[in-house]
Amino acid sequence: QGLETDTNLTYNPSTNVLSTTASQAQYADLAEVYAADSEYEIGTIVKLGGSAEITQTVSANDADVFGVVSENPAYLMNSKAQGIPVALTGRVRVKIIGPVAKGQRIVSSSIPGVGTAVNNEKIGNILTIVGRALESSVDHNEKLVECAVGKL
């Protein structure tokens, strides 16, 4: 099969390369597939380690946080690998316990795979930051909260 072209879009089946000038996505995170030591729900905060590549966080303010299990990655790297998609940056829902205010930073809690909101003065190490809340909630229970993941 030959080279196919259509208004700033080129696909070459012999090399499996798709080229375009611009693109857009329905979802909003950059994720990669990692082997997990267990099945984890969407929004679970993970770190490198465990019996596979990743495991859920288990301690508060874990400086080894790595990402969040993604629901619908906008861009998924390593897509054919065995494992689960982990959002490394972007907008995703994160498991959070306790109240949260829009803009607060999220760190891991002592509940496995679950984060908590903290004020800036409580951040002792930037490596503990999972991301920032994009919405507020007064609910004290565990819930999924839309967050911008990354060291923001």
Side-chain angles (χ1 to χ4, degrees):
Q1 203 173 17
L3 182 68
E4 301 291 329
T5 303
D6 182 21
T7 318
N8 296 324
L9 178 68
T10 303
Y11 174 63
N12 188 337
S14 65
T15 61
N16 236 7
V17 173
L18 176 68
S19 302
T20 184
T21 303
S23 64
Q24 61 184 15
Q26 181 176 353
Y27 303 107
D29 67 284
L30 168 67
E32 185 171 359
V33 174
Y34 289 91
D37 60 0
S38 186
E39 286 294 319
Y40 294 115
E41 295 175 345
I42 293 159
T44 301
I45 300 171
V46 296
K47 64 181 186 173
L48 295 176
S51 60
E53 293 174 325
I54 60 166
T55 189
Q56 65 186 346
T57 57
V58 294
S59 60
N61 297 299
D62 192 331
D64 291 327
V65 295
F66 185 65
V68 176
V69 176
S70 178
E71 183 173 13
N72 293 306
Y75 185 78
L76 182 61
M77 300 180 290
N78 209 16
S79 64
K80 294 187 179 182
Q82 293 293 316
I84 57 177
V86 176
L88 305 172
T89 189
R91 179 189 292 249
V92 294
R93 297 189 307 155
V94 179
K95 286 182 176 184
I96 295 180
I97 190 87
V100 57
K102 187 187 309 186
Q104 276 189 301
R105 285 177 171 80
I106 307 302
V107 297
S108 63
S109 72
S110 58
I111 300 169
V114 178
T116 188
V118 294
N119 293 323
N120 291 341
E121 62 273 5
K122 298 287 186 181
I123 301 289
N125 181 347
I126 191 171
L127 297 177
T128 63
I129 298 171
V130 175
R132 293 182 76 175
L134 295 173
E135 58 185 347
S136 298
S137 173
V138 294
D139 185 353
H140 287 265
N141 299 309
E142 183 180 311
K143 68 226 155 258
L144 288 169
V145 174
E146 189 89 4
C147 294
V149 171
K151 306 296 182 201
L152 308 168

